[in-house]
Amino acid sequence: MSSKTGNSILALLAGAAIGVGFGILFAPDKGSKTRDKMKEGFDDLKDQAKSKWDSLEEETKEKFSKSKEDLIETVEDLLSNSSYKAEEAITFLEEKLAELKKQNAKLQK
């Protein structure tokens, strides 16, 4: 979880707790009405937290999916480049081998 999102959630929870505290202290309503309001407030807070969590979860899945695709593409490029380099190395070695065979043939005469 990023610290920005964590701080946002923490601030949201702290604000809700402070709001509930002041609401209870200064509530002109009966206890039952105050409890109903508190329940509604907690339900709203729960919904907001769930929405934030779902959003964060989706964002994280999206980032990992993109990272995985990028990694696969990078590995494929690396393998492709390695294949070309291997062909170049084989060609170079074959040329050197042919030169050595010529030199060896001259020495054996």
Side-chain angles (χ1 to χ4, degrees):
M1 181 188 311
S2 70
S3 67
K4 184 177 180 182
T5 304
N7 289 341
S8 296
I9 291 174
L10 184 61
L12 179 70
L13 293 174
I18 291 170
V20 167
F22 278 117
I24 291 171
L25 290 174
F26 297 106
D29 293 332
K30 294 164 90 177
S32 60
K33 287 186 179 182
T34 301
R35 285 189 294 277
D36 288 341
K37 287 181 182 179
M38 285 175 56
K39 184 180 179 305
E40 288 174 13
F42 282 125
D43 288 343
D44 289 345
L45 180 62
K46 182 180 78 171
D47 291 342
Q48 289 175 357
K50 184 177 179 345
S51 174
K52 214 37 154 162
W53 179 261
D54 290 344
S55 173
L56 178 64
E57 183 179 23
E58 185 64 31
E59 187 178 307
T60 303
K61 284 180 183 178
E62 206 172 285
K63 284 183 181 178
F64 278 115
S65 175
K66 287 180 183 177
S67 296
K68 180 181 175 184
E69 291 168 6
D70 290 345
L71 178 62
I72 289 171
E73 186 178 323
T74 301
V75 169
E76 288 174 353
D77 288 346
L78 179 62
L79 290 175
S80 176
N81 289 338
S82 297
S83 176
Y84 289 123
K85 294 293 182 187
E87 283 297 321
E88 289 175 6
I90 290 170
T91 302
F92 173 77
L93 291 172
E94 287 174 341
E95 291 171 358
K96 289 297 178 185
L97 181 61
E99 287 177 23
L100 289 172
K101 283 183 179 180
K102 285 181 185 177
Q103 289 176 0
N104 190 29
K106 286 181 186 178
L107 291 174
Q108 289 182 359
K109 288 184 182 183

